[in-house]
Amino acid sequence: MKILVTGGAGFIGSAVVRHIIGHTQDSVVNLDKLTYAGNLESLLSVADDARYAFEQVDICDRAALDRVFAEHQPDAVMHLAAESHVDRSIDGPAAFIETNIVGTYTLLEATRQYWSQLDDVRKAAFRFHHISTDEVYGDLEGTDDLFTETTSYSPSSPYSASKASSDHLVRAWQRTYGLPTLVTNCSNNYGPYHFPEKLIPLMILNALDGKALPVYGNGMQIRDWLYVEDHARALYKVVTEGEVGETYNIGGHNEKANIEVVQTICALLEELVPTKPEGVAHYQDLITYVTDRPGHDVRYAIDASKIAAELGWKPEETFESGIRKTVEWYLNNEAWWSRVLDGSYSGERLGQA
Ligand code: NAD
């Protein structure tokens, strides 16, 4: 099978590409615009593989998408390309509307045209898998409530509203045109190659540098943490074994308050890097509470029983094992993150070289 992965230079997309090349016989075409979040240095381990190809393309560019479909003739699309950072969506929503909504629409139309011309066998086997977020469901009120595949949508931020919109488009293309689509909604991912603007890598790298560890509000926002490699395995299962038209929620069964996450990172660093930056007695002392994000959802938690029952997937990592692996990865991969921090990683320049 040849899989067109959009956003394959991003955090989750690169884990998906590494999973497919490393653990299956399938081929990948990585289609990515290489925004600030795209980093080809996350793909060095697969870049020379004969089953891997890269196309620097914007999903809003219909002509370029048509060329890629015609040239590569994929059997499936895994759509991960998106603007993904909530804070950025509050500061500047336009790019989120453009990429997440207009881009998904453009990709759906390019896919539909390509798919409609396939022979009957390839047409029936074709899949369009849209990767979305649990943030489309909004806030969970009760402490025992969980998001299921039928929870109604109630997005709170420009980011989650744009993702909700794209989910609706994908389902409409299935109902209206018969495009064989699947949708997955997952909880917060963490793990290697995570861009340092997100909570976990930001805290690790700030702590190592003796900088403040900024925690929003009271730090009691609860997220269900999913190790990115567990997620990549789940996504591959869905695209290869999932039922057309279905939605699968993917979660890690790891509900943690943000402050607990930060405290766990501090405790791991105390153990792994006991020699601290000058003036820092304990990493925990660096924690500072900052003004909460507007519209900040308090709790997300996923009921992942459907994907477990129907596709036999469950996460391999607990939060304790995954966060330890993650901290160790950052300690061992300064070459990757130092080039992100100083801006020299520029995926764009690498892509054009
Ligand atoms: P990311 O920001 O790390 O990566 C996004 C990738 O998309 C980048 O490589 C970027 O260059 C590319 N991209 C952006 N705009 C593009 C465009 N117009 N055309 C082509 N490529 C473009 O994001 P991520 O964390 O890897 O998330 C991947 C997907 O998973 C997103 O759709 C996101 O909404 C969803 N998701 C993420 C999380 C999470 O915790 N990270 C949780 C739930 C869902």
Side-chain angles (χ1 to χ4, degrees), residues 1 4 10 53 55-56 58 72 85 96 101 107 111 128 149 178 192 217 225 228 237 241 269 278 346 349:
M1 190 158 80
L4 178 68
E55 293 279 1
Q56 186 173 1
D58 185 336
H72 292 282
H85 191 41
F96 289 72
I101 305 177
L107 180 67
T111 307
F128 183 100
E149 288 77 2
W225 292 95
V228 69
K237 246 188 182 306
E241 298 173 33
L269 288 175
E278 219 184 299
S346 174
R349 259 175 283 142

Side-chain angles (χ1 to χ4, degrees), residues 14-30:
S14 69
V16 168
V17 173
R18 292 189 303 270
H19 175 78
I20 296 173
I21 298 298
H23 296 95
T24 80
Q25 297 305 309
D26 297 336
S27 304
V28 169
V29 179
N30 171 16

Side-chain angles (χ1 to χ4, degrees), residues 265-276 280-285:
I265 291 168
C266 290
L268 280 167
L269 288 175
E270 290 288 345
E271 175 196 327
L272 298 168
V273 193
T275 313
K276 292 180 249 318
V280 179
H282 304 284
Y283 289 108
Q284 290 233 25
D285 300 343

